[in-house]
Amino acid sequence: MGRVLVAGSINMDVVVKAGRHPRIGETVAGHEVLFLPGGKGANQAIAASKLGAPTTLIGCLGRDAFGRDLRAFLAATDLDLDFLRDTADAPTGTAIITVADGDNTIVVIPGANASVNAADVAAPPLAADDIAVCQFETPLPAVTAFLERARTVGATTILNPAPALPCDRRLLGLADVLILNETELGFFAKREIGPTSDPATILEAARSLQTDSRQTICVTLGPRGFLALIGGEPHGEPGRPVTAVDTTGAGDCFVGAVAARLARRHTVRDALHYANVAASLCVQRVGAAPAMPSAAEVAAQVEG
Ligand code: RIB
């Protein structure tokens, strides 16, 4: 089995639960505020690790109270933290998350995540049977350097270009598996894509991002499941009928699950099925990193 190496963000999620989202200029009373571990990188790494893959997290924390809390939380997992750095130059990354009606809005303040650099991603050992995973919450030069390095050693690359940012199209082409949601797909494909877009429109937009026919493009669709192009072939699964209490981190769960499954040499199609099940468990719990399911929990659903 290969390792999963995730280079990415680590945030303290300040989660506010409210009856509904405020409109612009409006104040609403919330019910509760929670301080929970998050960040797309940390969430994806914890998902992969809990789903059975030996996993390394590459990232950066501030030397502050949030940084200390997050390091303690991460130290209690099975993650390899040898390449997790502290910096005194920036505060720990923070995300302000409002959860209402089972959905969320997020504002991220990158802080220390913005100092992840090419030297950080060059440090860990990386081999051909490993899976390299990154997102867009750390600087794009570091993301590019990590994916290029992974390509050089023959590792499998997974890119989750979230949040969507303008970038060189070549960067998306460094991913063997590109996983993004509808909003991100619309951004990169430069077309209107939303919750009511039909499968043909989504697949056509996904095809416009594909740089070579071996690349997998997977579009996660929340409660509608996912649609993918696997080596040019369309494939999809509906969402599982569950009651979502908090969708924060569901996309990260999906990415981490795909990575864990590919590290065990399962096919892409199997990995996407497994990830769809894992994400359906994640949305039934509050928070991002703490909501990631275990391998046993996913197996109970997959097997029946
Ligand atoms: O994808 C969810 C994550 O986005 C949250 O944990 C938050 O930290 C932001 O990075």
Side-chain angles (χ1 to χ4, degrees):
M1 181 183 12
R3 295 189 66 79
V4 173
L5 291 94
V6 181
S9 57
I10 308 151
N11 295 330
M12 182 59 82
D13 289 352
V14 182
V15 181
V16 178
K17 294 207 241 169
R20 64 177 175 81
H21 291 281
R23 285 185 280 273
I24 304 282
E26 186 192 20
T27 303
V28 298
H31 309 311
E32 194 179 12
V33 60
L34 302 165
F35 295 80
L36 299 173
K40 295 184 194 304
N43 297 340
Q44 294 175 14
I46 288 169
S49 170
K50 287 191 73 174
L51 295 171
T55 304
T56 298
L57 175 60
I58 305 155
C60 193
L61 292 167
R63 288 206 183 109
D64 50 22
F66 281 171
R68 283 189 290 279
D69 287 354
L70 287 167
R71 189 173 270 282
F73 172 82
L74 293 167
T77 69
D78 289 332
L79 288 174
D80 164 27
L81 302 179
D82 286 354
F83 302 93
L84 179 58
R85 190 163 58 80
D86 294 326
T87 178
D89 298 338
T92 297
T94 308
I96 309 299
I97 303 179
T98 305
V99 177
D101 313 319
D103 225 327
N104 65 55
T105 59
I106 306 181
V107 177
V108 180
I109 302 93
N113 297 307
S115 68
V116 174
N117 58 37
D120 291 318
V121 300
L126 186 61
D129 58 353
D130 290 340
I131 315 293
V133 183
C134 37
Q135 325 75 33
F136 275 8
E137 278 186 349
T138 47
L140 298 193
V143 171
T144 307
F146 189 49
L147 295 180
E148 282 177 340
R149 180 175 172 229
R151 275 278 166 97
T152 304
V153 302
T156 300
T157 54
I158 300 179
L159 176 61
N160 171 223
L165 298 171
C167 70
D168 187 337
R169 191 48 71 89
R170 199 184 65 85
L171 177 50
L172 304 185
L174 289 173
D176 296 314
V177 182
L178 186 70
I179 302 175
L180 69 182
N181 68 21
E182 294 143 309
T183 311
E184 291 143 8
L185 177 66
F187 177 88
F188 291 112
K190 297 190 173 55
R191 47 197 94 178
E192 284 296 318
I193 304 282
T196 56
S197 298
D198 59 79
T201 304
I202 291 168
L203 286 170
E204 207 246 323
R207 209 174 286 283
S208 76
L209 300 184
Q210 213 175 20
T211 50
D212 86 62
S213 59
R214 286 164 303 174
Q215 193 182 32
T216 293
I217 314 281
C218 177
V219 186
T220 56
L221 304 170
R224 293 201 293 158
F226 71 87
L227 279 170
L229 289 169
I230 306 175
E233 286 299 312
H235 173 65
E237 286 184 26
R240 295 167 64 86
V242 297
T243 303
V245 297
D246 182 2
T247 56
T248 314
D252 299 329
C253 179
F254 192 99
V255 173
V258 171
R261 215 62 179 165
L262 294 182
R264 286 182 171 268
R265 298 287 152 239
H266 288 272
T267 63
V268 170
R269 184 182 274 248
D270 170 275
L272 297 180
H273 171 67
Y274 188 85
N276 197 36
V277 175
S280 76
L281 294 171
C282 178
V283 299
Q284 296 178 65
R285 298 177 189 149
V286 173
M292 298 305 161
S294 67
E297 288 172 315
V298 179
Q301 299 291 319
V302 169
E303 286 153 20

